[in-house]
Amino acid sequence: MKFAFAGIDFLGSVFDGLVEAGWQPIKLFTRPCDGVYDFNDVVVARARQLRLPIQLSRIRPDDILALHQAHGRDWTLVVAGYPWRVTGWQGRVRHAINFHPSPLPTGRGPYPLFKAILDSYETWGVTAHVLAEDGFDTGDILAQDIFAVDPPETHETLLSKCRMASQRLASGPIGKEIANRWRSAEPQGDGSYWPRVTDADRTLDFRQDIDAVLRQVRAFGAVETIARLGDGRVFVAGAEGWHEAHRHVPGTVVHRYRRQVIIAARGGYVQLTRWSPVPLAEATQIGR
């Protein structure tokens, strides 16, 4: 099966899984990335290695038509971590599939991994579904890969689990059984949509229980939470903590040692281990 891939490195493991299943890539649709949280280095390098055409601009119906004219309907459009709605594919491709990092219909939306940890889900998963033209993440389900979420789960470990699950889906049920899966796809029914997180969602509240604060740090990981430190704010990439009765006002800096800062929270202390100051311009924007 020929396929065009639309995505970035986030779920680039889908690309690898399909190639592993014997599929032939014909084009890469990707987008500019900031090189901080979003990357497309790997998928672009892979496409160049395979001498595939690469398009950075949004997929338009004319782009689908051009591939249809070159390959007929004997190809599949595969979307994984692509932010724009794709339309105009019906009647021009054999299949159009989206890989979403949640056990749909739970967790529709741009990036559900943070909330999965914040809300203490015990299981999570990745879903391959029919690409919907009239909504995001609402198409009929083709296959799912469900796995356990561990109590100390971090954003980075959950992301890795999603990437590995995506590759299993691509190399297995989708890569080898797509015709049958397409015919027997199941409607999702009612579900939940989780919007993009805001700076308020990322901001630590030390009036919360120590476990809730540390869970929030784990949920955002390298994407970083935000904390007030004295008169300023800092980005927090790593923190630890412990339970201990005390009389400090939550949010008070009670101890410093080199780059380690200890802050009182409800029922214990949070120790910031990896952090950096929020630039003044960003601090002003955060405070609006």
Side-chain angles (χ1 to χ4, degrees):
M1 174 68 69
K2 299 175 183 177
F3 75 101
F5 182 78
I8 59 175
D9 292 354
F10 162 52
L11 290 181
S13 53
V14 171
F15 185 104
D16 296 331
L18 293 174
V19 171
E20 181 183 337
W23 287 31
Q24 176 189 348
I26 56 175
K27 185 170 183 177
L28 170 65
F29 295 97
T30 186
R31 61 175 174 83
C33 294
D34 59 19
V36 179
Y37 304 125
D38 294 334
F39 305 87
N40 64 4
D41 313 52
V42 175
V43 292
V44 167
R46 191 86 164 94
R48 287 175 176 164
Q49 179 186 29
L50 296 171
R51 298 183 179 180
L52 303 180
I54 300 171
Q55 179 173 320
L56 291 172
S57 60
R58 180 176 180 173
I59 300 174
R60 302 293 183 183
D62 284 349
D63 299 314
I64 304 294
L65 177 59
L67 287 173
H68 172 68
Q69 292 171 339
H71 302 280
R73 292 185 66 249
D74 190 25
W75 63 286
T76 294
L77 176 63
V78 179
V79 178
Y82 193 71
W84 297 307
R85 183 175 295 169
V86 181
T87 61
W89 60 265
Q90 292 192 14
R92 295 175 176 172
V93 302
R94 189 168 299 279
H95 316 105
I97 305 169
N98 183 53
F99 283 75
H100 185 69
S102 86
L104 292 173
T106 298
R108 296 170 181 154
Y111 197 81
L113 272 61
F114 305 130
K115 188 172 172 62
I117 297 176
L118 288 172
D119 289 359
S120 301
Y121 275 77
E122 295 182 354
T123 60
W124 199 244
V126 173
T127 304
H129 66 89
V130 176
L131 184 65
E133 287 200 329
D134 57 352
F136 285 105
D137 312 319
T138 57
D140 294 353
I141 292 176
L142 300 166
Q144 291 185 312
D145 188 301
I146 306 299
F147 50 80
V149 177
D150 296 323
E153 200 79 65
T154 68
H155 170 259
E156 281 67 41
T157 58
L158 185 57
L159 174 57
S160 292
K161 288 181 178 181
C162 286
R163 287 178 51 80
M164 294 169 68
S166 296
Q167 187 161 355
R168 288 194 296 268
L169 282 176
S171 62
I174 299 303
K176 297 177 181 177
E177 306 168 12
I178 184 56
N180 290 334
R181 296 278 177 167
W182 190 264
R183 285 193 294 268
S184 60
E186 298 183 2
Q188 290 190 34
D190 295 334
S192 57
Y193 180 85
W194 297 354
R196 188 175 301 279
V197 299
T198 65
D199 282 344
D201 298 317
R202 296 169 58 202
T203 300
L204 300 176
D205 182 355
F206 295 101
R207 295 170 298 181
Q208 291 185 312
D209 179 82
I210 179 71
D211 292 330
V213 175
L214 294 177
R215 185 184 309 115
Q216 190 172 6
V217 173
R218 294 197 308 272
F220 287 92
V223 178
E224 301 177 324
T225 49
I226 300 167
R228 182 177 294 279
L229 191 60
D231 294 330
R233 288 181 172 87
V234 298
F235 290 124
V236 179
E240 301 168 345
W242 65 91
H243 293 269
E244 182 178 335
H246 62 76
R247 296 183 179 179
H248 296 291
V249 175
T252 302
V253 176
V254 301
H255 188 76
R256 295 174 184 259
Y257 176 68
R258 300 173 71 87
R259 290 281 297 172
Q260 300 175 21
V261 181
I262 299 174
I263 302 173
R266 183 161 64 87
Y269 296 101
V270 176
Q271 179 169 285
L272 308 186
T273 55
R274 289 183 290 127
W275 58 272
S276 59
V278 175
L280 182 59
E282 292 190 48
T284 301
Q285 183 179 12
I286 292 169
R288 289 178 183 172

